[in-house]
Structures are given as structure tokens and as C-alpha cells.
Amino acid sequence: MKKSLSLIIILVVATLSCKKTIESEQKAWEINIRRANQLSIEYPNFSQLIREQIDAAELIMNESSSITDEKAKISKMAEANVQIMKGFIRNLENIKSIKTDIRKKAIEARGLKALYNEMTMINHAISDSERTIMESDLKVKTAVNTCTEADALTGLILTDLKNAESNLDRAIAVIKDRESAEKAKIEETQKQLIDNTAAKEKAEAPVICKYCGTYNLASALTCKGCGASLK
Ligand SMILES: [Zn+2]
């Protein structure tokens, strides 16, 4: 009961936060057209297939313009937006962003203070990521004749890049985990030192006789002023 209720809440929130309207679909469409055309310039070997995918999506978009029912219209426009960005076009977009991420992570990895035994691992991950980017830049220039070919090629490139990225992530995590373990250990030692000092100071604090007010050494058993027991 509780579970289904939270599921409903999640669904409601999700629906509210990305509520589709004619305006939002139109806006998405314009952005998607721009993205597809940009990719066509960047990857001329895909331009023919990109053109075909835009045309197919445009057909769906045109169908939507004759629909009067708002809900059906929005749904048709959304379908056009899915069609234009699907498969290899989505992959080409993702290839671009994952390359940017890998480059950032390689810079981060280079900046880490690796121990001698971590160097091989981190250097390997960095050079592997650089090589993968270089190879993917070459592979992505391969001539593609069909959508299926384009989907497969870009899918493979994406997989290679994702693997290189997770290698980098792992290598970075090893060093960061070791660093934070070291930091925790130093903090623990410092805390212990402070605790010990406090305990020692407490132990060394003079004992004031409750009968005559004389200050006695911490180790004293009886008051040097009146001879009363201090324990
Ligand atoms: Zn005393």
C-alpha cells in the first residue's frame, strides 16, 4: 500500500516536472533539428542518413499539424521528436559528450598524486582512454550506407568509449579511496592525540582540599595542609 502510494507520488511528480505541451514539443523539435543538422556537418559520412531520418521525422511532424485533439497532437509531435533523435543520431550525440567527459577525467587523473604502485594503473587508464578516443575518431569516419550500419557502428564506438571511461573512473576511485582512508587515519590520530593530552592534563590538575582549600599535587593521597584524605 505504502509502496504503491509512493509510486503514484513519483509518477505525479515526474508527469508535472516534464509535462508535455504543444509549445514544449515545438521547442524540442527546433532544438533537435538544429542538433541533427550540426551532426550532419560534423559527420559528413552520416549526412545522407541524417537527412533521411530528419525527413522521416518531418513526415510525422506534418501529420501532427492536421490533428485537432490537443493530446493526440502532442503525442504525435513527441513521436516526431523521438524519431529524429533515435539510433545513430542519439549515439553520435552521446559520443560527443562522453569524449568530453573522458578528457575531463583524464585531466583529473593526471592531477592525482598517485603512489608508485598506482602509477601503472592510472597511466594505463589515461593512455587507454586517449587511444580509444583516437580510434573512435577514425572509426566514426567509416562510410555508412544504411541506418542499421550506422546504428551498429556508433553503438560499438559508444561501448568502447564507455569502457574506457569506466576504466578511468575505477583508477581514479582507487587513488581517491586510498587518499580518503589516509586522511581519515590522520584525523583519527590527531583526535587521539588531543584526547590523550586532555586526559593527561586532567590527571595532572591539582587536587583542591575540600576541607582547607589547599592545592595538592594530583598524585597526593592526603592534603599537605590539613592531612585530610584527598581520595
Ligand atoms: Zn586540607
Side-chain angles (χ1 to χ4, degrees):
M1 181 63 200
K2 210 176 165 192
K3 215 171 177 182
S4 60
L5 187 68
S6 49
L7 190 68
I8 289 168
I9 292 170
I10 289 168
L11 282 174
V12 168
V13 171
T15 319
L16 286 176
S17 60
C18 61
K19 197 178 181 306
K20 285 175 175 166
T21 61
I22 292 175
E23 289 73 31
S24 74
E25 287 306 317
Q26 183 58 37
K27 201 158 184 179
W29 174 253
E30 282 156 21
I31 292 167
N32 288 338
I33 287 275
R34 262 206 304 279
R35 284 155 86 189
N37 284 326
Q38 180 60 33
L39 287 170
S40 183
I41 296 165
E42 283 173 55
Y43 305 101
N45 52 323
F46 285 87
S47 64
Q48 180 58 34
L49 293 172
I50 292 173
R51 187 66 254 161
E52 285 168 18
Q53 193 152 310
I54 294 175
D55 289 348
E58 261 168 355
L59 277 181
I60 302 170
M61 201 58 175
N62 290 343
E63 277 175 43
S64 79
S65 61
S66 58
I67 300 173
T68 44
D69 178 65
E70 193 183 328
K71 235 175 159 181
K73 193 186 189 76
I74 292 168
S75 141
K76 201 71 181 166
M77 290 171 91
E79 195 187 322
N81 275 318
V82 170
Q83 168 63 34
I84 194 171
M85 291 310 292
K86 76 174 187 184
F88 69 95
I89 294 195
R90 170 81 56 210
N91 287 348
L92 287 174
E93 283 264 305
N94 289 342
I95 286 170
K96 272 207 291 188
S97 65
I98 201 169
K99 270 165 62 180
T100 311
D101 289 347
I102 289 176
R103 289 203 178 97
K104 273 188 209 149
K105 284 174 183 174
I107 291 170
E108 185 193 357
R110 268 203 198 85
L112 292 172
K113 291 193 188 82
L115 295 180
Y116 184 73
N117 61 346
E118 295 162 345
M119 281 190 182
T120 315
M121 171 198 67
I122 197 84
N123 287 338
H124 190 267
I126 294 169
S127 59
D128 179 57
S129 74
E130 284 166 346
R131 201 194 58 237
T132 308
I133 286 181
M134 259 165 43
E135 283 173 1
S136 76
D137 286 348
L138 285 175
K139 278 186 206 160
V140 84
K141 292 196 176 86
T142 311
V144 278
N145 300 310
T146 64
C147 233
T148 319
E149 266 179 43
D151 289 352
L153 176 72
T154 53
L156 276 176
I157 294 170
L158 208 50
T159 307
D160 288 347
L161 287 168
K162 278 180 185 164
N163 286 337
E165 188 183 28
S166 43
N167 279 341
L168 258 182
D169 285 339
R170 265 197 301 277
I172 291 170
V174 166
I175 296 177
K176 282 192 167 170
D177 288 351
R178 190 256 309 150
E179 279 176 346
S180 54
E182 279 174 2
K183 200 173 159 230
K185 208 174 165 191
I186 290 170
E187 279 169 1
E188 178 57 30
T189 312
Q190 277 172 345
K191 191 181 166 284
Q192 228 152 46
L193 206 69
I194 291 165
D195 288 352
N196 288 348
T197 312
K200 209 173 157 206
E201 273 168 5
K202 199 180 166 201
E204 282 169 358
V207 182
I208 305 163
C209 174
K210 60 183 169 189
Y211 302 104
C212 71
T214 301
Y215 280 68
N216 293 280
L217 287 175
S219 55
L221 295 175
T222 54
C223 173
K224 65 182 176 191
C226 69
S229 171
L230 294 169
K231 295 290 148 185

